[in-house]
């Protein structure tokens, strides 16, 4: 059972992006998925949700989700909260951290222009070193398109958009680049937490 | 949940067993407006639709909801309610439960002392033997229902027993079978269970003519389909009762019906069952409880209250595929019992979804990107 103290601690950890009611609902969901009460959700349990298993990015996300305790689980989902899609400004430095991989969000930027690109960047950055190589982009493209695109087609698409955006073949993309490219596009990524 | 799904019954659809899932998923996760124009870097980096679908599935998904047994809110939390509740517990466990065990024991004694002689002595006179055995099975089921203080309201005209007819019902627990069996001796198709249930299955239920299947056997489907067809052809056999969901669901939702019952060329009589949760939650979560524990839980509750509706028999319409027929009957049952429909196969409880769904998403993405690459 969660006490108010626990809830506040989790809320702080997720940068206040979820309300207290939502955290209680998420806790119920966490307990439902953590069937053997181990304190974390094993990858198997995620895959037992059919809607999740059919998602092309599920394997990639599993690397970030495996072994998450409840605090990290909420932090992981906080990018999808309703608050993360608002124009509220970020107050004070905030971090996004999952499994030791940390990103600092900048003071005074709007939440929605920063949080989504950050999330996308974390998914692309498979070795968690803050840099997204072109190979990472190719791999995500392969996950998303499956057997319906050949390797040559993927390379072609990548060089096409790269040239267009002005990056060279050996460049790395960093968080700033993600924010620049995705920041002001009004991305909507929020997910509804069912509150009883 | 979403509007009635349209079924893709064209032969190019590889996955003939299920309707278009996108029609059922919440509208936020459906394929968003097709992006147009030249392909740009941000189109590659923007994985937000796929990511939010994944996150949506983590936060809440319609499949897990089907098997959630919500424990009732505790109401006994103050000075005067708690003693009342304690008194209730005492009555349930020390008065009702022994009385019910007694009733059940008497029932079994009567049943066994009639069934065993009839089974062996009337070996030669099959017609009479079957009739009496059928009647005795109905009796023991009534004793079972009495042992839970079952209050069962049957609605609708009881369909006459005719050849080439099957009955289908939604499935919440194995007691569904007992509740229906006390009215009419059905033959049923069931998963073979271990333990004392298996023993009952192989001895007594054999006499009403049951068909066994084994979920874990790959080739099982064809074998079972043949057994079903043979059974319905036989004039003397008891009417067949099938639970097309294939697994127990929590009586708030229905999962996809398997088409086996609907391609036998028979009339299908739908039966809807709805339990009243105030008295007891009759959902048997077979992953959490053994059947014995489930029965004990029922026998120490106040009552099992449910409604059973016998609905109008349906036949395959011209031009309708068995899958469409199954969905139509599922619709009829769900509407009558107030259940929500979900597009998942109940067997996903035991296995992963087939890669075909993911492949469809991947194909859509690949086609869209390649098309935009051409637009210069």
């Amino acid at each position: 059972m969660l006490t108010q103290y626990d809830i506040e601690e989790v809320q702080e950890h997720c940068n206040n992006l979820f309300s207290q009611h939502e955290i209680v609902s998420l806790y119920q969901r966490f307990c439902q998925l953590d069937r053997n009460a181990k304190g974390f959700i094993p990858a198997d349990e995620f895959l037992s949700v059919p809607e999740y298993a059919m998602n092309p990015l599920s394997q990639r996300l599993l690397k970030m989700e495996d072994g998450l305790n409840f605090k990290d689980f909420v932090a992981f989902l906080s990018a999808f909260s309703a608050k993360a899609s608002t124009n509220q400004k970020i107050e004070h430095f905030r971090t996004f951290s999952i499994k030791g991989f940390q990103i600092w969000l900048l003071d005074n930027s709007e939440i929605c222009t920063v949080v989504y690109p950050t999330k996308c960047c974390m998914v692309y950055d498979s070795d968690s070193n803050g840099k997204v190589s072109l190979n990472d982009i190719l791999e995500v493209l392969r996950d998303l398109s499956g057997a319906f695109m050949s390797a040559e087609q993927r390379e072609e698409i990548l060089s096409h958009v790269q040239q267009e955006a002005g990056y060279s073949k050996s460049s790395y993309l960093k968080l700033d680049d993600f924010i620049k490219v995705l920041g002001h596009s009004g991305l909507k990524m929020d997910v509804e937490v069912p509150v009883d | 949940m979403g509007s009635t799904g349209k079924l893709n019954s064209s032969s190019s659809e590889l996955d003939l067993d299920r309707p278009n899932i996108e029609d059922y998923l919440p509208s936020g996760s459906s394929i968003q407006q097709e992006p147009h124009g030249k392909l740009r870097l941000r189109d590659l980096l923007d994985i937000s639709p796929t990511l939010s679908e994944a996150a949506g599935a983590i936060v809440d998904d319609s499949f897990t909801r089907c098997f959630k047994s919500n424990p009732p809110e505790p109401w006994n939390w103050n000075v005067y309610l708690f003693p009342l509740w304690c008194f209730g517990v005492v009555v349930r466990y020390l008065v009702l439960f022994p009385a019910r065990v007694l009733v059940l024991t008497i029932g079994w004694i009567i049943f066994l002392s009639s069934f065993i002689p009839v089974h062996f002595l009337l070996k030669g006179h099959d017609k009479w033997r079957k009739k009496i055995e059928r009647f005795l099975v109905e009796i023991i089921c009534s004793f079972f229902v009495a042992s839970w203080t079952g209050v069962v309201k049957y609605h609708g005209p009881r369909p006459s027993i005719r050849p080439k007819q099957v009955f289908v019902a939604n499935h919440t627990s194995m007691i569904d079978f007992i509740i229906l069996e006390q009215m009419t001796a059905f033959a049923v198709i069931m998963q073979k269970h271990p333990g004392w249930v298996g023993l009952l299955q192989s001895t007594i239920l054999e006499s009403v003519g049951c068909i066994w299947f084994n979920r874990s056997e790959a080739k099982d489907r064809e074998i079972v389909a043949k057994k079903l067809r043979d059974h319905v052809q036989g004039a003397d056999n008891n009417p067949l009762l099938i639970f097309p969901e294939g697994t127990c669901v929590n009586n708030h939702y229905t999962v996809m019906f398997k088409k086996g019952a609907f391609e036998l060329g028979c009339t299908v009589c739908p039966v809807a069952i709805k339990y009243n949760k105030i008295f007891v939650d009759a959902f048997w979560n077979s992953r959490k409880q053994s059947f014995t524990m489930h029965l004990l839980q029922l026998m120490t509750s106040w009552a099992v209250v449910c409604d059973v509706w016998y609905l109008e028999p349906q036949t395959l319409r011209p031009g309708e595929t068995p899958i469409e027929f199954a969905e139509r009957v599922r619709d009829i049952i769900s509407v009558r019992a107030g259940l929500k429909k979900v597009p998942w196969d109940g067997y996903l409880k035991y296995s992963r979804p087939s890669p075909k769904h993911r492949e469809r998403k991947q194909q859509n993405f690949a086609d869209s990107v390649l098309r935009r690459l051409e637009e210069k």
Side-chain angles (χ1 to χ4, degrees):
Chain A
M1 277 319 306
L2 284 185
T3 65
Q4 181 106 28
Y5 186 61
D6 295 327
I7 296 178
E8 281 169 9
E9 203 185 314
V10 172
Q11 211 176 15
E12 221 192 285
H13 187 76
C14 75
N15 299 316
N16 268 325
L17 289 171
F18 278 121
S19 73
Q20 296 200 347
H21 278 153
E22 288 173 323
I23 292 182
V24 172
S25 289
L26 285 175
Y27 185 67
Q28 285 172 348
R29 178 66 174 175
F30 183 82
C31 292
Q32 200 182 50
L33 289 174
D34 176 16
R35 228 199 303 252
N36 300 324
K38 289 194 194 145
F40 65 89
I41 307 177
D44 233 22
E45 278 305 323
F46 279 112
L47 289 176
S48 74
V49 174
E51 223 172 295
Y52 180 80
M54 337 188 299
N55 194 294
L57 289 178
S58 52
Q59 290 294 344
R60 214 170 167 87
L61 286 174
L62 275 182
K63 284 195 222 132
M64 294 169 72
E65 291 161 347
D66 200 17
L68 287 183
N69 63 20
F70 179 57
K71 256 170 52 175
D72 290 333
F73 178 71
V74 175
F76 176 79
L77 290 174
S78 61
F80 303 96
S81 74
K83 269 211 201 123
S85 64
T86 62
N87 294 341
Q88 271 183 299
K89 300 285 190 177
I90 299 177
E91 295 153 10
H92 319 298
F93 287 112
R94 292 221 188 264
T95 62
F96 239 76
S97 63
I98 295 201
K99 296 184 99 168
F101 176 42
Q102 272 197 342
I103 289 185
W104 290 87
L105 302 182
L106 301 172
D107 214 8
N108 248 355
S109 345
E110 289 176 345
I111 295 183
C112 61
T113 59
V114 178
V115 168
Y116 298 155
T118 309
K119 200 65 212 216
C120 293
C121 178
M122 287 171 95
V123 174
Y124 271 94
D125 185 5
S126 51
D127 46 8
S128 304
N129 58 3
K131 294 192 281 206
V132 173
S133 71
L134 295 178
N135 209 25
D136 289 330
I137 301 184
L138 271 182
E139 277 181 21
V140 173
L141 190 54
R142 192 191 53 207
D143 284 338
L144 288 174
S145 58
F148 298 96
M149 228 188 244
S150 69
E152 295 90 44
Q153 285 174 316
R154 288 194 280 265
E155 296 264 2
E156 194 193 329
I157 290 173
L158 188 56
S159 42
H160 173 88
V161 296
Q162 224 184 294
Q163 272 174 357
E164 224 248 312
Y167 290 100
S168 73
K169 264 217 174 303
S170 55
S171 31
Y172 281 91
L173 290 174
K174 302 239 255 312
L175 175 60
D176 289 336
D177 300 304
F178 270 84
I179 293 178
K180 194 170 68 178
V181 172
L182 297 173
H184 293 272
S185 52
L187 288 178
K188 280 256 162 243
M189 227 163 49
D190 57 307
V191 144
E192 200 184 311
V193 179
V195 172
D196 294 315
Chain B
M1 293 234 99
S3 52
T4 37
K6 55 176 177 2
L7 294 175
N8 195 347
S9 50
S10 66
S11 54
S12 62
E13 177 63 53
L14 296 168
D15 205 359
L16 290 172
D17 268 11
R18 41 218 85 191
N20 197 3
I21 283 198
E22 253 85 53
D23 291 333
Y24 287 87
L25 289 176
S27 54
S29 68
S30 62
I31 301 174
Q32 287 152 342
Q33 240 190 342
E34 278 287 315
H36 291 297
K38 260 168 65 173
L39 198 60
R40 317 191 62 181
L41 181 61
R42 62 158 294 226
D43 297 308
L44 282 195
L45 296 184
D46 179 8
I47 44 175
S48 54
T50 319
L51 264 193
S52 27
E53 277 174 18
I58 296 176
V59 167
D60 189 22
D61 77 293
S62 54
F63 184 70
T64 321
R65 259 187 265 146
C66 291
F67 306 100
K68 205 161 75 151
S69 39
N70 289 324
E73 292 284 328
W75 55 269
N76 54 358
W77 39 263
N78 69 16
V79 176
Y80 56 90
L81 289 178
F82 189 67
L84 273 179
W85 176 78
C86 286
F87 179 65
V89 170
V90 165
V91 170
R92 278 189 289 133
Y93 281 80
L94 299 182
V95 175
L96 288 181
F97 180 63
R100 287 168 175 172
V101 170
L102 187 64
V103 163
L104 201 53
T105 318
I106 294 176
W108 274 109
I109 294 175
I110 297 179
F111 175 75
L112 288 171
S113 60
S114 327
F115 189 84
I116 295 178
V118 165
H119 190 76
F120 291 108
L121 294 178
L122 289 185
K123 260 278 157 60
H125 313 267
D126 269 356
K127 198 156 165 256
W128 273 109
R129 178 169 69 89
K130 282 207 161 165
K131 246 187 152 153
I132 299 179
E133 284 180 351
R134 219 175 284 185
F135 177 66
L136 287 177
V137 170
E138 284 178 27
I139 295 272
I140 187 65
C141 288
S142 310
F143 269 102
F144 261 110
V145 173
S147 77
W148 317 312
T149 315
V151 179
V152 185
K153 252 195 295 185
Y154 295 93
H155 306 263
R158 220 169 98 201
S160 331
I161 305 305
R162 287 185 272 243
K164 298 228 132 206
Q165 208 176 257
V166 291
F167 289 78
V168 302
N170 59 310
H171 201 25
T172 306
S173 160
M174 283 228 286
I175 69 175
D176 291 337
F177 164 66
I178 299 179
I179 285 177
L180 292 178
E181 190 81 0
Q182 74 161 351
M183 259 293 180
T184 324
F186 290 108
V188 77
I189 163 170
M190 270 182 150
Q191 163 90 29
K192 201 67 183 286
H193 280 88
W196 63 271
V197 181
L199 181 63
L200 285 187
Q201 286 178 322
S202 35
T203 48
I204 297 166
L205 292 182
E206 282 290 344
S207 70
V208 279
C210 291
I211 300 177
W212 311 117
F213 69 83
N214 199 342
R215 251 178 226 133
S216 35
E217 280 237 1
K219 281 276 170 186
D220 202 52
R221 251 173 98 175
E222 287 132 35
I223 305 175
V224 169
K226 180 162 189 310
K227 287 190 195 171
L228 284 179
R229 256 176 276 130
D230 290 339
H231 186 104
V232 263
Q233 301 297 342
D236 260 351
N237 292 329
N238 287 329
L240 192 57
L241 172 64
I242 302 178
F243 294 108
E245 286 173 309
T247 188
C248 292
V249 184
N250 71 359
N251 210 225
H252 289 291
Y253 297 92
T254 48
V255 296
M256 300 259 311
F257 277 11
K258 302 207 172 307
K259 61 182 174 161
F262 301 90
E263 44 185 19
L264 298 168
C266 305
T267 325
V268 170
C269 305
V271 181
I273 309 178
K274 178 80 176 160
Y275 292 90
N276 188 330
K277 265 178 93 159
I278 298 181
F279 295 93
V280 76
D281 183 0
F283 168 49
W284 178 38
N285 193 340
S286 53
R287 284 193 284 193
K288 285 208 174 131
Q289 268 181 329
S290 70
F291 189 58
T292 317
M293 286 308 303
H294 177 64
L295 274 189
L296 287 178
Q297 190 200 340
L298 292 178
M299 287 174 79
T300 54
S301 312
W302 291 108
V304 170
V305 179
C306 68
D307 285 286
V308 173
W309 290 275
Y310 290 107
L311 303 168
E312 204 178 320
Q314 305 287 327
T315 40
L316 190 68
R317 291 195 186 138
E320 205 181 29
T321 65
I323 301 172
E324 288 170 343
F325 185 29
E327 277 299 291
R328 184 163 62 88
V329 172
R330 177 160 86 115
D331 209 29
I332 295 173
I333 293 182
S334 306
V335 165
R336 180 66 266 191
L339 307 171
K340 300 195 201 99
K341 290 164 43 172
V342 296
W344 305 106
D345 177 348
Y347 278 12
L348 286 174
K349 237 176 156 183
Y350 311 99
S351 64
R352 300 265 178 262
S354 87
K356 293 190 189 105
H357 301 300
R358 183 189 301 198
E359 280 168 12
R360 194 186 301 161
K361 285 181 191 268
Q362 289 174 326
Q363 184 166 29
N364 287 337
F365 177 80
D367 288 342
S368 153
V369 169
L370 287 175
R371 194 179 340 122
R372 292 178 64 194
L373 188 62
E374 301 307 313
E375 291 175 27
K376 292 285 186 238

